[in-house]
Amino acid sequence: MIDWINTIAQGLLLGGLYALFALGLSLVFGVMRLVNIAHGDLILLAAFLAIVITSVLNLHPLLSLAILVPLMFILGYVLQRGLLNFTLGRDILPPLLVTFGLSILIQNGLLEVFSADSRSLPGGGIETASFQVTEHLAVGTLPLIIFATALVLTAALQLLFARTALGRAFRATSDDQQAAQLMGINNRHIYALATAVAFATIAVSGVFLALRTTIAPTDGPAQLLYGFEAVIIGGLGSIWGTFAGGVILGVAQAIGFRMDPGWGVLSGHVAFLAVLLFKPTGLLGKGS
Amino acid sequence: MSALLSTSALTAFYGDFQALFGVDFEIGAGEIVAIIGANGAGKSTFLKSVTGLLKARPGSIVFDDSPIGGMAAHDIVGRGIAMVPEGRRLFPSLSVEENLMIGAYRKRAGPWTLDTVYGLFPALKEKRRNPGTALSGGQQQMVAIGRALMSNPKLLICDEISLGLAPIVIKGIYDALPRITQDGLTVIVVEQDVGTAQRVSNRLYCFQEGRVSLQGASGELTRDEISRAYFGL
């Protein structure tokens, strides 16, 4: 029994990481119906940038976020304003093709610079620290920090959407971008800000991924898949749904892994397919 | 009286298709001008050009003494032109109050605030937490008008605000017009209903096949003149 509680707990915490991956995807899709195929590779790019920043400046990885988050925010704004905005339109294919091309560019660029060796971010002990919840149940400090961060970022993003002028502009532009322009909203600027915020979550995702596990330049597509599955499980357009989707995916993987070490990733996919089969709009999706 | 908005030889295209053939239009500050015309006469195209949704030659549209032709739609709002679009186009994800607040996105100063809009349309205040699209057609139209007013425009453009509404509801909405214009707001109304157009406006333009086919003081035009200009008989 305690083994299962332990399994679920590990799954929940792993789900926090997937929720982080999914947050940016969900935001960008929600505002401009753009699926960023390079999302996973951008997480890896952020992770490698964090490795460079921490080693050059001799900073703790969590402190490196103070540089990495603004850096990725600006990169996101520029990429959207200078490239991705031109792919948006009635046809959904151009953004898919362009971000797919970006994905290949980033992967090969990272391979060129960092080689195919696996690396990780040294966390100064937090990656192995844990504390005892009960006599038989221990949780890792780092996974708990990741989970708490995902929770806080999800709540912050929900507040941004629901309560601020920028959030209203995001929703209005998503509803009807032409009518939004008639309200004085520059949709190109709004799209760029949405991508910038998504890139900030990518920065956080990258640091935590590299703290938690070893990374290689070709790991991006797998992270994209987890993030994408979390978004679909939770339901498109729902921020808390995305968080729930990440957690469900994490728990499903942990349960699968518990039954057989080869089944972990597979059972996550099975959970994803089951949601697609029985509730195609996702658990908290808006339908239609 | 110098014109607040004027267009000269305004042309507009959808790809290779020409929709406007040299429209000369003028509205003075404080005026209410109606535009009438059959479907496809170019009324909506004209409004799209003025609000920046369609490209136009810079000098062909002059607002407040500066050329605005081809300027981005969101910047034109900042200059002081607000539009109540055809079909209302409320934002379904936003509540009534949020729809009104998004109208004030450019933060132009002026008499219109949430309070004054609720004063104009009291029915909206009790529904302010509802989604905008959950209201009756007439109330949705009030939200759309309030939303445009929230930008504190110098020129308000109402595109077919009576479309799909019951006559009594239409009358209620037009009854609010004097209170909207009491501070000297300039208004263009586009109308299908010629009678309403004549009644509420000072001057009237009739469009036909992308050209102005008739213009004059609303009270002086006869039914015959308007019918000829409207249908091109």
Side-chain angles (χ1 to χ4, degrees), chain A residues 161-163 165-187 189-190 286, chain B residues 48 51 53 73-75 77-78 81-83 85 89-95 98-99 101-103 105-107 147-148:
Chain A
F161 260 76
R163 296 287 163 80
L166 180 62
R168 281 196 297 277
F170 278 157
R171 284 181 286 148
T173 309
S174 168
D175 280 350
D176 184 339
Q177 56 98 4
Q178 202 178 53
Q181 288 180 57
L182 289 176
M183 299 302 118
I185 295 170
N186 180 354
N187 58 332
H189 175 63
I190 289 297
K286 287 184 207 155
Chain B
K48 277 186 188 159
T51 52
L53 294 176
H74 58 89
D75 286 329
V77 178
I81 297 182
M83 167 103 142
R89 310 267 293 262
L90 298 185
F91 301 109
S93 320
L94 273 59
S95 68
E98 286 176 325
N99 265 287
M101 284 160 83
I102 205 97
Y105 185 79
R106 298 299 287 235
K107 299 193 168 69
R147 186 178 67 173

Side-chain angles (χ1 to χ4, degrees), chain A residues 59-236:
Chain A
L59 276 175
H60 189 274
L62 294 181
L63 289 178
S64 76
L65 284 171
I67 298 170
L68 193 60
V69 167
L71 190 70
M72 291 298 286
F73 184 93
I74 293 166
L75 181 66
Y77 189 95
V78 171
L79 187 71
Q80 184 68 42
R81 201 83 199 243
L83 177 67
L84 298 179
N85 270 346
F86 298 101
T87 68
L88 294 175
R90 251 164 234 206
D91 192 353
I92 58 159
L93 205 52
L96 286 176
L97 291 175
V98 168
T99 55
F100 183 62
L102 265 182
S103 154
I104 293 170
L105 273 175
I106 294 168
Q107 259 183 59
N108 286 283
L110 289 176
L111 270 174
E112 194 65 34
V113 177
F114 295 99
S115 83
D117 295 346
S118 289
R119 293 156 195 262
S120 72
L121 262 177
I126 60 164
E127 63 269 52
T128 50
S130 68
F131 60 88
Q132 216 66 33
V133 179
T134 66
E135 197 185 338
H136 302 285
L137 183 65
V139 293
T141 307
L142 180 65
L144 203 63
I145 293 174
I146 296 175
F147 186 85
T149 306
L151 200 62
V152 168
L153 283 184
T154 304
L157 214 54
Q158 176 66 41
L159 273 179
L160 174 79
F161 260 76
R163 296 287 163 80
T164 68
L166 180 62
R168 281 196 297 277
F170 278 157
R171 284 181 286 148
T173 309
S174 168
D175 280 350
D176 184 339
Q177 56 98 4
Q178 202 178 53
Q181 288 180 57
L182 289 176
M183 299 302 118
I185 295 170
N186 180 354
N187 58 332
R188 300 192 163 274
H189 175 63
I190 289 297
Y191 291 155
L193 281 179
T195 303
V197 173
F199 271 49
T201 71
I202 285 175
V204 178
S205 305
V207 168
F208 282 142
L209 177 69
L211 273 172
R212 195 183 160 116
T213 180
T214 57
I215 53 165
T218 49
D219 288 349
Q223 320 309 322
L224 168 73
L225 191 58
Y226 298 147
F228 193 63
E229 287 182 344
V231 172
I232 301 292
I233 291 173
L236 290 169

Side-chain angles (χ1 to χ4, degrees), chain B residues 2 34 67 73 81 88 92 101 111-112 117 127 129 132 151 164 172 176 181-182 191 193 206 208 213 222 228 232:
Chain B
S2 79
I81 297 182
R88 306 183 282 266
M101 284 160 83
W112 295 104
V117 170
K127 308 243 167 155
R129 305 243 175 266
S151 74
T181 55
Q182 66 187 1
E191 259 302 335
D193 177 1
C206 184
Q208 193 212 328
S213 55
T222 65
R228 271 200 300 280

Side-chain angles (χ1 to χ4, degrees), chain B residues 14-30:
Chain B
Y14 295 101
D16 288 336
F17 173 74
Q18 185 164 5
L20 293 182
F21 299 86
V23 170
D24 296 316
F25 176 94
E26 203 175 86
I27 183 167

Side-chain angles (χ1 to χ4, degrees), chain A residues 2-15:
Chain A
I2 191 70
D3 283 352
W4 281 105
I5 292 174
N6 199 18
T7 300
I8 304 282
Q10 307 308 332
L12 278 173
L13 296 180
L14 176 62

